[in-house]
Amino acid sequence: MQVTSPAFKQNARGALADVQLQKALGNVRAGFIDKRRKAMDALPEFDRLRDEAKAIKDHALASLDLYLEAYETKVKASGGHVHWAATAEDARGIILDICRAVGARTVTKGKSMITEEIELNDFLEGNGIRPVETDLGEYIIQLRGEHPSHIIAPAVHLNKEQVEEDFRRVHDHLPVARDLSEPESLLAEARRVLRAQYFEADVGITGANFLVAETGTSMIVTNEGNGDLTQVLPRVHVVVASIEKIVPTLNDAAQILRVLARSATGQDMSVYTTLSTGPRQEGDPDGPEEYHVVLLDNGRSSMLGTEFQDMLRCIRCGACMNHCPVYHTVGGHAYGWVYPGPMGAVLTPSLIGVDKSGHLPNASTFCGRCEAVCPMRIPLPRMMRHWREREFERGLNPATQRWGLGFWAFFARRPSLYRLGASIGIPLLSLFGRRKGSFGTLPLAGGWTKHRDLPSPQGRTFLQQWRDRDTLRQEART
Amino acid sequence: MNATEETRKPRVGLFVTCLVDLFRPVVGFSAVKLIEAAGCEVDVPMTQTCCGQPAYNSGDRADTRAIAENTIRAFEGYDYVVAPSGSCAGMLKKHYPGLFRGDPTWEKRTEAFAAKVHELVSFLADEMKVTSVAARHDGSVTYHDSCSGLRELGISAQPRALLASVEGLTMREMRDPDVCCGFGGTFCVKYPDISNAIVEKKTETIREAGAETLLAGDLGCLMNMAGKLSRQGSGVEARHVAEVLAGMTDEPPIGKGGR
Ligand code: SF4
């Protein structure tokens, strides 16, 4: 996927002018927030559960190497294979080899952001293998040749009328007069169309919400059950997961599950929680003949031990973007790579470099709502600020910004000059603005006055007035 | 402890904040009146400037530290440091300590300083146990929760409780008062179009609330919202919550002329 993060501002302008998108984004505000709120209210111990979930991940990250090795041993013991992929390219190569070894023509896919990160679909297609997305949202955007705009609701940027249009265009073998006006009818149609694909596929690829070291199990949560069919019906099941998905025990995974769906969609649990451990065993009624796990690093291990380590606790619930005022106005695609919203603003610079994605950690008001709702208590604004510090150190921010800041800091560091400058500039400004009370335009303030008036200063500064008052008082005393 | 110490009034250093100093001194005088009414003595150190957020949030740690040192020097002698702004108080209280972590001379000093810092309204309600103010405001108001005050310092119930004690005042809550107004300090000039889209949603909820006056505890957010309301030709007036609590509403509202 082409990185368009450097063009964030243009992307954002396009998004603001997109009427369909703006309508769809209204659903994010209305849908997710209230549902999460209700789920919180129904569970008084939620904050304690968050602390526990955080502690579990912190512990796992502190001994990540040990847990990964333990996990590998268990997967092998259950008859599965583990592949280590340092980069996206490595991961793609490994997956292609697995597909080629079984002569795969079609692969079905469960929802996975990691396969977006490694750009798997384009790669497979380029190698003559047809990937079929089975999650409804992913299926829709695959039809449209788009990328997810949200990590748990990939097609949230679309309205149902747009989806109906796509279905009528692509499913042209179905009766024209059918009713597709409701989300349910759209889901039913996608199911019918997809059912056949499950049986055609030679390989099923899923992501993982958790990798359990204790048992060598991978776990996914879905609401459509498509993940189950993806991993059970084909001959080969490939799990693609990043290394930080590891948790020590099944109990730990169950603990984190208690905060995951509640934070994401406000559900107590997702509809399906699916565990898979190795290939089909003697006596199993179903399951794949081969079971592979591709463990992706792709820059994550270099976050360990830095101020960005906390980001590796992320369980991809999406709550941060659901509550983000910037995401609400520009949507996910504007961020220009795989991960949008506050979590993307922190993670993207770690994975593709801050020189390409510098806008992301800057385009935040630091309102702090993301951190306030994050079930894993990830200090997202703090880490965005760390990225700004790294940019500043490397001189990556625009020259005008640096000069402006330098000019301002010169005065802020020198109290007497600050007072002197203010005592001259402010009364002057006030003189011009006094009658109307505000400015519609003002030199050097175009960023502000483009969209709003600038309230004029009242008159002399507070410090000037206070000093006069003090002098008067002292004179009165003597 | 002798008698004079026992009855000595707490000494409060007022951190005016640069926006109040430069744009709206009446907020500073309102703060002085409220703090004095709560039984404290107020002083305003002349060596204060800005809390340093513009540098801090732009990634410039060296300038931020220099500014922070200046603030700490100016204020560490007081019993309390009070600011009429959740975001500046949050900066002093929650972010200064992180700047000096591991620094043998400054770490302890900064922590001691930070412990004394309070935002104005929460200082009155939580520290001075003020439950009502002697003020009158005939009209309806709506209150916006500025982000830093709300999420860093837990300010939400206090201003509403004190406003409820103002005679003649009717509260008309807006929808989602806790949603950001899009100001974000330098954000609003770095990303003007996004900031504008956010503040447009905000002013919509403000107008829907149907109150005559918009109140908040942070002048930055207020100037953003008032500037947008003014550009939209709305008649809703904007004031800092301290002006109403102190009964000092003779000055024209933010961004309105007429003197
Ligand atoms: S950063 Fe927190 S809120 Fe955002 S997706 Fe990750 S876990 Fe969820």
Side-chain angles (χ1 to χ4, degrees):
Chain A
M1 151 180 204
Q2 203 198 337
V3 181
T4 68
S5 308
F8 175 79
K9 280 193 169 186
Q10 290 91 302
N11 296 350
R13 260 197 296 282
L16 288 168
D18 184 336
V19 179
Q20 282 283 0
L21 173 65
Q22 291 301 323
K23 185 175 153 213
L25 288 172
N27 302 334
V28 176
R29 282 200 301 281
F32 290 112
I33 295 177
D34 293 348
K35 287 180 186 151
R36 176 188 172 277
R37 180 77 269 145
K38 286 204 184 91
M40 303 297 94
D41 292 347
L43 197 68
E45 68 268 39
F46 191 76
D47 273 338
R48 187 175 52 75
L49 294 178
R50 288 167 79 183
D51 292 335
E52 287 171 9
K54 171 182 183 293
I56 290 168
K57 275 284 199 180
D58 279 341
H59 169 79
L61 290 170
S63 311
L64 190 58
D65 48 348
L66 297 181
Y67 284 117
L68 281 167
E69 278 170 17
Y71 170 77
E72 181 185 29
T73 308
K74 285 291 176 183
V75 174
K76 285 183 177 161
S78 62
H81 307 272
V82 175
H83 312 263
W84 300 85
T87 65
E89 197 187 346
D90 294 349
R92 288 191 297 259
I94 292 164
I95 296 166
L96 183 62
D97 287 347
I98 297 170
C99 291
R100 284 208 169 132
V102 295
R105 307 285 301 271
T106 304
V107 306
T108 42
K109 287 186 63 209
K111 194 182 140 16
S112 147
M113 290 308 292
I114 294 295
T115 60
E116 293 288 337
E117 183 180 325
I118 65 172
E119 304 173 72
L120 185 62
N121 285 5
D122 283 353
F123 176 76
L124 289 178
E125 259 172 77
N127 283 282
I129 298 170
R130 190 169 62 101
V132 179
E133 294 289 352
T134 63
D135 170 88
L136 177 61
E138 292 282 354
Y139 178 68
I140 293 166
I141 57 170
Q142 191 183 24
L143 292 185
R144 299 174 62 89
E146 293 181 343
H147 293 283
S149 66
H150 188 290
I151 59 173
I152 68 159
V156 77
H157 58 288
L158 299 171
N159 294 296
K160 66 177 196 293
E161 295 74 21
Q162 291 167 285
V163 178
E164 175 175 353
E165 220 171 88
D166 289 325
F167 277 22
R168 290 195 186 280
R169 174 172 56 83
V170 178
H171 305 157
D172 53 4
H173 59 290
L174 295 173
V176 179
R178 69 197 192 278
D179 177 28
L180 287 177
S181 57
E182 290 308 316
E184 291 73 26
S185 48
L186 292 168
L187 177 62
E189 177 160 317
R191 278 217 167 114
R192 272 199 306 279
V193 173
L194 282 169
R195 193 123 307 194
Q197 310 285 337
Y198 288 119
F199 294 100
E200 256 177 54
D202 311 289
V203 175
I205 300 177
T206 66
N209 291 90
F210 303 100
L211 302 172
V212 183
E214 174 187 41
T215 55
T217 301
S218 64
M219 249 169 118
I220 53 172
V221 298
T222 69
N223 277 329
E224 296 164 21
N226 61 307
D228 298 35
L229 297 176
T230 303
Q231 66 182 47
V232 164
L233 293 176
R235 277 168 50 212
V236 179
H237 176 199
V238 181
V239 177
V240 195
S242 48
I243 50 173
E244 84 283 8
K245 292 286 181 292
I246 210 100
V247 291
T249 67
L250 277 173
N251 202 25
D252 291 332
Q255 281 281 76
I256 300 178
L257 274 181
R258 298 192 68 193
V259 296
L260 173 56
R262 287 184 169 92
S263 302
T265 53
Q267 293 165 288
D268 292 348
M269 288 278 279
S270 301
V271 180
Y272 298 87
T273 301
T274 311
L275 290 73
S276 47
T277 315
R280 180 182 199 155
Q281 312 285 330
E282 274 279 314
D284 283 354
D286 49 30
E289 289 162 27
E290 284 179 35
Y291 178 81
H292 297 265
V293 182
V294 181
L295 288 173
L296 178 73
D297 182 348
N298 209 23
R300 288 165 176 81
S301 56
S302 63
M303 294 164 71
L304 288 167
T306 72
E307 60 255 74
F308 302 108
Q309 173 167 326
D310 289 344
M311 192 61 222
L312 296 174
R313 286 202 300 270
C314 175
I315 54 173
R316 305 291 190 269
C317 72
C320 53
M321 57 198 77
N322 292 341
H323 291 77
C324 175
V326 175
Y327 182 93
H328 287 166
T329 50
V330 301
H333 287 152
Y335 290 80
W337 196 56
V338 179
Y339 301 105
M343 58 80 70
V346 175
L347 189 61
T348 304
S350 300
L351 301 187
I352 68 169
V354 73
D355 41 344
K356 281 197 220 116
S357 53
H359 273 301
L360 273 46
N362 278 285
S364 161
T365 66
F366 280 163
C367 79
R369 214 175 172 205
C370 50
E371 181 177 356
V373 298
C374 173
M376 304 306 286
R377 298 200 188 283
I378 298 174
L380 293 155
R382 192 176 84 202
M383 288 190 288
M384 287 182 223
R385 190 180 295 107
H386 285 318
W387 277 123
R388 296 184 191 185
E389 283 163 5
R390 298 233 175 147
E391 285 187 281
F392 189 85
E393 282 160 18
R394 288 173 54 190
L396 290 177
N397 25 7
T400 45
Q401 225 181 74
R402 295 177 78 88
W403 287 338
L405 190 67
F407 181 76
W408 163 87
F410 178 84
F411 287 96
R413 292 175 68 155
R414 293 169 178 78
S416 47
L417 286 183
Y418 164 86
R419 278 201 313 280
L420 183 68
S423 68
I424 298 167
I426 288 298
L428 207 64
L429 195 60
S430 161
L431 199 67
F432 288 116
R434 185 166 298 179
R435 199 173 49 79
K436 259 191 75 204
S438 57
F439 298 94
T441 58
L442 199 69
L444 301 178
W448 180 283
T449 54
K450 179 176 175 195
H451 294 295
R452 49 179 107 53
D453 295 340
L454 179 69
S456 136
Q458 282 185 306
R460 301 170 68 234
T461 70
F462 179 85
L463 291 179
Q464 271 179 304
Q465 296 184 46
W466 182 264
R467 194 155 52 184
D468 292 354
R469 208 179 87 161
D470 251 15
T471 323
L472 277 179
R473 274 194 198 163
Q474 267 163 27
E475 278 170 10
R477 252 180 251 148
T478 53
Chain B
M1 194 185 274
N2 61 34
T4 52
E5 260 178 66
E6 233 173 293
T7 53
R8 185 175 76 88
K9 286 182 178 177
R11 286 184 65 235
V12 172
L14 181 67
F15 185 79
V16 185
T17 78
C18 47
L19 285 180
V20 166
D21 180 38
L22 303 178
F23 281 88
R24 206 155 171 83
V26 68
V27 177
F29 289 111
S30 303
V32 171
K33 184 173 169 189
L34 288 164
I35 300 168
E36 283 178 348
C40 308
E41 203 180 283
V42 182
D43 194 15
V44 182
M46 280 293 142
T47 51
Q48 60 180 297
T49 63
C50 168
C51 67
Q53 278 187 88
Y56 186 53
N57 290 338
S58 302
D60 176 0
R61 260 178 114 86
D63 275 320
T64 313
R65 265 192 65 136
I67 293 166
E69 285 174 19
N70 178 58
T71 309
I72 295 167
R73 268 192 219 102
F75 283 93
E76 62 193 342
Y78 296 99
D79 299 324
Y80 296 102
V81 182
V82 175
S85 155
S87 105
C88 307
M91 177 71 191
L92 269 52
K93 194 174 183 68
K94 300 283 171 171
H95 296 277
Y96 274 15
L99 293 169
F100 298 98
R101 204 140 287 148
D103 181 317
T105 44
W106 280 94
E107 180 167 357
K108 285 260 143 51
R109 200 169 159 187
T110 311
E111 273 162 17
F113 162 83
K116 302 185 203 178
V117 175
H118 299 276
E119 178 277 341
L120 172 67
V121 181
S122 55
F123 171 72
L124 298 173
D126 300 340
E127 292 296 310
M128 294 294 115
K129 308 291 175 208
V130 173
T131 52
S132 66
V133 292
R136 181 165 191 98
H137 183 84
D138 290 300
S140 54
V141 304
T142 189
Y143 181 84
H144 164 73
D145 294 284
S146 288
C147 297
S148 310
L150 175 70
R151 297 194 184 88
E152 290 185 340
L153 305 172
I155 301 162
S156 165
Q158 304 91 325
R160 290 177 171 82
L162 291 186
L163 284 171
S165 75
V166 174
E167 269 180 69
L169 180 144
T170 317
M171 174 61 98
R172 294 223 169 99
E173 291 282 1
M174 68 180 93
R175 188 159 46 86
D176 303 330
D178 61 335
V179 168
C180 180
C181 74
F183 171 60
T186 52
F187 171 83
C188 72
V189 287
K190 279 197 286 183
Y191 299 95
D193 298 328
I194 300 175
S195 172
N196 178 51
I198 301 175
V199 73
E200 272 182 350
K201 284 180 204 136
K202 191 79 217 182
T203 51
E204 193 184 311
T205 58
I206 292 168
R207 291 196 312 262
E208 271 173 22
E212 290 147 351
T213 306
L214 163 71
L215 301 178
D218 262 278
L219 195 52
C221 314
L222 280 162
M223 286 174 63
N224 176 41
M225 293 182 288
K228 189 74 213 177
L229 286 165
S230 153
R231 181 64 59 91
Q232 290 169 331
S234 157
V236 177
E237 301 184 337
R239 288 184 188 279
H240 192 285
V241 65
E243 298 172 42
V244 170
L245 293 178
M248 292 177 72
T249 52
D250 293 340
E251 292 278 334
I254 299 168
K256 294 270 170 4
R259 274 176 306 153

